[in-house]
Amino acid sequence: MVTATALEAELLELAGSVPDPELPVLTLQELGVVRAVHVHGGDAVEVDLTPTYTGCPAIEAMSVDIERVLRAHGMREVTVRTVLAPAWTTDDISTEGRRKLQEFGIAPPRMRDASGPVALTLGPTRTAHEPTAHAKATAPIASTAPADPVRCPHCGSADTELLSRFSSTACKALRRCLACREPFDHFKEL
């Protein structure tokens, strides 16, 4: 493993300080998409950027913003390279990023067991601790869904329901709290 130089560490911090264009409450570092910075010849830099998903429409805006910040810091040539492996997961969101999502009114992704792929289940849409009688009757026999419910970022209730698997961006779902009745986005686990 190659150790980053002091300049590379400084430029990584600068590139990571760029706000996410879709969630400006988070920086790219907090989102976990800026992977590495490589300096070539003192004034040329290559930045490795991993999108949250392959078709992410914000990747171009992120790249332009990173280029602008690093050029303002004296880098003559800036190349932002899209790196798809290892793939980004919601585990890459920092603790600070999760806290900011919550404060912004978006339920952060639940922590998952990182030992394998993300399981997909098609079951009930409510996430209360005690499912309704209908949910119990229609629940799959073996559920691999995360044990933690999606909590309302407004009141903290675990009694929420899924309204749409997609929200303002493909990486978020639209949910509603059954306690305070407020709708909210949930950053889906990937």
Side-chain angles (χ1 to χ4, degrees):
M1 179 172 178
V2 177
T3 305
T5 66
L7 177 58
E8 287 171 333
E10 179 182 354
L11 296 176
L12 180 63
E13 181 131 349
L14 282 169
S17 71
V18 169
D20 177 73
E22 292 180 334
L23 291 167
V25 67
L26 295 182
T27 66
L28 298 182
Q29 179 183 22
E30 293 163 342
L31 189 57
V33 296
V34 176
R35 300 296 183 148
V37 169
H38 311 283
V39 175
H40 306 286
D43 65 351
V45 64
E46 185 177 84
V47 179
D48 292 346
L49 183 66
T50 300
T52 55
Y53 66 98
T54 306
C56 179
I59 197 78
E60 187 174 332
M62 289 181 210
S63 298
V64 168
D65 291 344
I66 289 170
E67 289 173 16
R68 179 185 42 78
V69 166
L70 296 182
R71 282 196 178 109
H73 194 69
M75 294 292 110
R76 176 186 51 80
E77 184 181 329
V78 178
T79 304
V80 178
R81 187 171 72 113
T82 301
V83 177
L84 300 178
W88 179 90
T89 73
T90 51
D91 293 341
D92 295 327
I93 299 174
S94 71
T95 302
E96 178 68 6
R98 290 170 187 277
R99 184 191 64 75
K100 286 182 175 181
L101 284 170
Q102 181 80 25
E103 286 180 0
F104 194 63
I106 297 173
R110 295 167 288 187
M111 297 304 292
R112 64 180 186 86
D113 177 11
S115 64
V118 175
L120 173 65
T121 58
L122 301 175
T125 59
R126 293 187 181 213
T127 60
H129 288 293
E130 291 297 320
T132 63
H134 173 73
K136 286 179 184 176
T138 60
I141 294 173
S143 176
T144 57
D148 295 334
V150 176
R151 294 193 170 276
C152 174
H154 306 294
C155 73
S157 173
D159 196 10
T160 65
E161 68 180 339
L162 179 68
L163 297 178
S164 174
R165 297 202 186 279
F166 297 98
S167 184
S168 58
T169 62
C171 55
K172 291 184 288 200
L174 182 61
R175 302 189 74 89
R176 177 176 49 217
C177 178
L178 298 172
C180 72
R181 307 300 296 167
E182 287 293 321
F184 64 92
D185 280 337
H186 167 228
F187 207 113
K188 296 184 282 192
E189 295 79 20
L190 296 175

